[in-house]
Amino acid sequence: MRQRRRLLLLPALALLGVFYAFSLAEGTRLDLDVALVFPTGVLGAGILLATGVARDRDWGALAVGALVLGVGLWADQGWVWATGLALAATGEAWLLARIASRGRDEPAGLRSFPEAILVMGGVLAANVWRLAALGLFVAFFGEPLDARQLFVVAGAGIAGALAGLPPFLRLATRPRAASVPEAVAYWIGLPTAVLLVFLPGGRPELMFGVITLLAWLAFRSAMWETVVHNAVVATVAISATAYGYGPIHALVTDSGFSPERALTVGFGFVTACALCALPLSVMMADQYAEQQAFSAQRSMLNDVLESAGSTVIIATDPQGRITLFNTGAKTILGYDEDEVVGKSPAVFLDPQELANWALALRTEADFGQVCRALIWSGKSEPMDWTYLRKDGERRLLSMTISPIQTEHGTITGYLCAARDVTERVQAEQALQTALAHEQEAVERLKAVDGVKDQFVATVSHELRTPMASIIGYTEMLQDALADHPNARALLDFLDRIDRNGNRMLVLIQDLLTLSRVESHDLELVPEVVDLRDLVTGAYDDLRTRLGDRRLDVSLRVPPSPVTTECDPRMIEQVITNLMSNAVKFTPDGGRIMISLRSNGTTSRFVVSDNGLGISETDQERLFSRFFRTFEAETRQIQGSGLGLTIVQAIVAVHGGSITVDSAVGRGSTFAVELPCRLDDAAREPAWEQGAPLVS
């Protein structure tokens, strides 16, 4: 596209040169040349805007000046006038093209008032340059122009720009308001009227009728038609005057006007025509664009309102009479639009509801008055209103009332937007009732749980003493029956009693520990110990209890002490429990690795095996009380399901953490991390810190 426009630039400039040469060759009956009547700089600027691109306009303006200079010398204007006019045309073309297009490639626009003001600014700037360049150059190298001639030059510049520049600009695309026959009548009537005024024997009294007709055409025609009509009037008027025809030239012969004054009147007539027609056409284009935008916005607003099927949107006038009733309102309230428009929303409002609002706001029980009082009170949040459907059903709507205001702040009505919250409120009320029942059930369960915990603690405490007595007497019987003839069989019975008694004692001890955990009675008795001693002692005890199990059990501890502040009795229970679990869940031929290490801040104890492993589902409940894994249940591995719960509680009360990494068939790794030094927070029970004891 740019290349095509560049190719058109040279032929257009050549045509400009031909037009300029023809104008000079014809001559005029007035003292000033036609070059001043139709400023070549304006036409050059139009050509640059229409066919050139931004970076071509500099040399294009120079080309316009060169054409003016060459044709002027060829027409024997003299080098002073030719050079002055060339300088004036160069600057005029460059300034008009640069300012009107704002330095962009696209042609300048004349589609709105801001663009029209920009073009007028370019016209004034170019005309100032034209006067300065021509006047100063001619004054310096020849005879200076007098005031009357300067007026002619200024008038020619403004009139020529207003008539000659608009055809080259981008115009608004407003369609004509006139019908085709009416438009044809305008195209015929305007040239006829202009010819009747400016041809020999014309009618000068029709001059101002031409201006009126142009204004009417600007109102009824498309903008491009207005521009063409204006250019036709200007061309006929100035050409006829320059060649001695029309009422303006008659001022010279009949009224004694000087040629300069006559030309000034002619340029004033052309300027008046342009300033009457062009701004009106731009105004109509602006109005058309605003109407289109308003129509689009209105259409979009109607679409939005109609698509809001679940939202009630009602607009009223300042007196509270309904002006808008959307689809959502029709659906939810059951009324048609023609049943409620022009009436007050009191038609479908509970009368007591409106009375209550009026009483609270200290106003009349009128919807418009209530809306006004709500706006004045500053209450903009949604509020619940009771509505009555057409069938009498009561619905609760959460409604927001907003004022509809002009740009000056005048309230022209009220907009009510509401959502039906009947089901939601009913659901909330039902939920509150259910929560109240649930809370009551929870309180009862807490009471039952408390009784259960007290029962477990009491029974466990009461069972521990007789169980200890049973185990003690069993040991005495074992010693006394050493020499009995049936000692082997009897000792086997006593071993079973002793084994099961110890199992019951361990279970009772675990229940007592769990009871202290749940009653927040698990307290520390901290000491500074070497964890190596606790781990090694538990490891040696484990080795003695392995019996005929074929397990590869290894222990790695650092050579230097692992000093930690802890309750040694509790930590020993953690170590023993994890080692025992590894032995229980690792089949013969398996491997158990126990390690201990420290970095000076924390100590890390790890028990790893390649035994049965734990599934991901079971890991989620692994530390829950009385929970036993699927493998423990199916293989009937003994255990109460309390060990890991107690382990986690002991680790938590020490400010540490326990993690597990396991998979079925791959074994398990339990890692316990403890701080080497208990801080004040860790000395408090874990439940005092808000940390969960059981996951």
Side-chain angles (χ1 to χ4, degrees):
M1 180 66 182
R2 290 184 179 182
Q3 189 64 30
R4 187 181 303 171
R5 286 166 59 185
R6 285 178 175 173
L7 293 175
L8 292 173
L9 186 57
L10 291 177
L13 290 174
L15 289 175
L16 175 63
V18 172
F19 168 78
Y20 188 46
F22 175 78
S23 300
L24 289 180
E26 285 297 312
T28 172
R29 297 185 185 181
L30 300 176
D31 292 342
L32 296 179
D33 293 313
V34 177
L36 301 179
V37 178
F38 287 104
T40 311
V42 172
L43 299 179
I47 292 172
L48 296 181
L49 287 171
T51 60
V53 294
R55 58 185 176 182
D56 293 337
R57 288 172 188 154
D58 296 337
W59 69 262
L62 293 175
V64 171
L67 285 174
V68 172
L69 177 63
V71 175
L73 293 175
W74 170 77
D76 294 329
Q77 277 190 316
W79 72 272
V80 174
W81 273 99
T83 306
L85 289 173
L87 289 174
T90 300
E92 191 175 13
W94 186 86
L95 278 172
L96 278 174
R98 179 67 62 173
I99 294 175
S101 66
R102 290 171 289 182
R104 300 175 182 174
D105 289 343
E106 293 80 10
L110 193 62
R111 295 165 294 184
S112 62
F113 265 106
E115 290 183 336
I117 291 173
L118 183 67
V119 171
M120 285 302 302
V123 169
L124 293 177
N127 207 42
V128 169
W129 166 263
R130 186 167 183 269
L131 282 173
L134 182 60
L136 292 177
F137 189 85
V138 174
F140 189 79
F141 291 102
E143 184 179 352
L145 297 175
D146 57 26
R148 291 175 299 177
Q149 292 173 324
L150 288 175
F151 271 115
V152 175
V153 173
I158 295 175
L162 293 177
L165 190 60
F168 297 96
L169 303 179
R170 296 171 65 188
L171 305 176
T173 56
R174 177 179 69 93
R176 71 164 68 98
S179 62
V180 174
E182 185 181 355
V184 172
Y186 294 153
W187 280 100
I188 297 173
L190 180 66
T192 302
V194 175
L195 292 176
L196 287 176
V197 172
F198 288 97
L199 284 181
R203 310 286 296 179
E205 62 271 17
L206 297 179
M207 271 187 65
F208 295 101
V210 172
I211 299 178
T212 305
L213 183 58
L214 269 177
W216 180 254
L217 293 180
F219 179 74
R220 298 291 293 169
S221 303
M223 191 169 184
W224 69 270
E225 293 177 301
T226 302
V227 168
V228 173
H229 291 323
N230 183 65
V232 168
V233 171
T235 302
V236 173
I238 298 303
S239 298
T241 301
Y243 287 98
Y245 304 111
I248 296 176
H249 181 267
L251 294 174
V252 178
T253 58
D254 299 341
S255 302
F257 273 44
S258 65
E260 291 83 358
R261 289 184 65 187
L263 279 176
T264 303
V265 173
F267 295 141
F269 173 76
V270 171
T271 303
C273 290
L275 293 180
C276 184
L278 295 179
L280 181 58
S281 185
V282 172
M283 182 185 69
M284 296 303 298
D286 271 349
Q287 185 179 17
Y288 175 77
E290 290 177 0
Q291 287 176 345
Q292 293 297 106
F294 177 77
S295 177
Q297 291 178 354
R298 185 180 181 87
S299 176
M300 180 181 68
L301 179 60
N302 288 334
D303 291 342
V304 170
L305 293 177
E306 293 303 318
S307 64
S310 61
T311 302
V312 173
I313 299 177
I314 302 172
T316 72
D317 60 15
Q319 288 72 41
R321 294 186 294 266
I322 297 173
T323 57
L324 174 68
F325 198 74
N326 81 323
T327 302
K330 301 174 190 175
T331 303
I332 294 174
L333 298 179
Y335 288 89
D336 290 331
E337 187 175 6
D338 54 2
E339 293 180 277
V340 296
V341 170
K343 300 179 181 179
S344 169
V347 173
F348 40 75
L349 276 175
D350 185 344
Q352 188 59 43
E353 179 87 352
L354 195 59
N356 291 340
W357 279 107
L359 181 62
L361 296 168
R362 298 180 180 180
T363 186
E364 300 177 16
D366 176 77
F367 187 78
Q369 296 293 336
V370 169
C371 289
R372 187 178 296 106
L374 279 173
I375 299 301
W376 286 348
S377 67
K379 295 181 179 180
S380 58
E381 67 277 3
M383 293 168 286
D384 291 343
W385 291 64
T386 301
Y387 278 71
L388 296 176
R389 281 177 49 87
K390 188 176 181 180
D391 56 11
E393 181 186 358
R394 302 171 71 88
R395 307 297 295 179
L396 190 65
L397 272 66
S398 178
M399 185 167 69
T400 301
I401 299 177
S402 306
I404 303 173
Q405 296 176 307
T406 65
E407 60 182 3
H408 303 295
T410 303
I411 295 179
T412 60
Y414 303 97
L415 182 67
C416 307
R419 292 183 299 108
D420 190 345
V421 295
T422 306
E423 284 75 15
R424 190 199 71 189
V425 171
Q426 291 174 349
E428 288 176 352
Q429 292 173 348
L431 180 60
Q432 289 175 355
T433 303
L435 286 175
H437 291 314
E438 185 177 352
Q439 184 66 28
E440 183 180 354
V442 168
E443 294 298 330
R444 292 179 180 176
L445 287 175
K446 283 184 178 179
V448 172
D449 199 46
V451 173
K452 181 264 297 178
D453 290 340
Q454 183 65 32
F455 172 77
V456 170
T458 302
V459 170
S460 299
H461 181 75
E462 294 299 326
L463 286 177
R464 183 169 59 175
T465 301
M467 285 306 305
S469 178
I470 292 172
I471 293 171
Y473 282 115
T474 302
E475 291 176 353
M476 292 174 61
L477 286 172
Q478 287 175 334
D479 293 339
L481 292 175
D483 298 327
H484 194 279
N486 296 324
R488 185 171 183 179
L490 295 173
L491 288 174
D492 182 57
F493 295 152
L494 290 174
D495 284 341
R496 294 185 183 184
I497 294 173
D498 182 64
R499 226 174 18 253
N500 286 290
N502 278 293
R503 284 181 57 197
M504 290 188 66
L505 188 61
V506 170
L507 176 59
I508 291 169
Q509 184 64 38
D510 286 346
L511 286 172
L512 285 172
T513 303
L514 180 64
S515 177
R516 288 199 298 272
V517 167
E518 295 184 341
S519 62
H520 300 174
D521 195 28
L522 188 64
E523 297 181 356
L524 296 179
V525 183
E527 299 178 17
V528 178
V529 298
D530 185 354
L531 279 183
R532 296 184 305 169
D533 297 337
L534 299 180
V535 173
T536 303
Y539 173 74
D540 293 339
D541 183 61
L542 179 68
R543 298 283 297 180
T544 60
R545 290 189 287 110
L546 285 177
D548 57 354
R549 294 291 307 275
R550 291 180 291 105
L551 294 173
D552 179 12
V553 183
S554 62
L555 171 66
R556 289 194 302 172
V557 295
S560 56
V562 180
T563 303
T564 301
E565 185 181 10
C566 65
D567 186 324
R569 181 179 53 84
M570 290 186 181
I571 297 303
E572 185 176 16
Q573 186 176 356
V574 170
I575 295 170
T576 302
N577 190 293
L578 294 179
M579 288 184 179
S580 299
N581 280 351
V583 171
K584 285 193 295 184
F585 290 95
T586 304
D588 287 350
R591 183 175 68 256
I592 300 174
M593 294 169 288
I594 306 166
S595 65
L596 175 69
R597 66 174 183 269
S598 174
N599 61 6
T601 303
T602 59
S603 302
R604 182 176 175 85
F605 170 68
V606 180
V607 178
S608 180
D609 63 68
N610 62 350
L612 302 178
I614 308 167
S615 67
E616 290 186 6
T617 304
D618 285 347
Q619 288 180 41
E620 296 176 359
R621 302 179 56 199
L622 191 60
F623 295 98
S624 302
R625 59 183 181 175
F626 300 111
F627 175 73
R628 288 170 52 79
T629 64
F630 176 77
E631 294 294 331
E633 293 288 350
T634 54
R635 295 174 183 265
Q636 297 183 350
I637 299 174
Q638 295 179 354
S640 64
L642 296 175
L644 289 178
T645 304
I646 295 172
V647 164
Q648 188 191 47
I650 293 173
V651 171
V653 82
H654 280 81
S657 63
I658 180 170
T659 58
V660 59
D661 179 18
S662 182
V664 176
R666 187 171 60 83
S668 304
T669 298
F670 287 84
V672 174
E673 287 194 357
L674 297 171
C676 291
R677 181 76 179 174
L678 289 177
D679 56 16
D680 293 337
R683 293 177 186 273
E684 299 295 331
W687 47 85
E688 300 292 341
Q689 308 169 38
L693 295 180
V694 181
S695 64

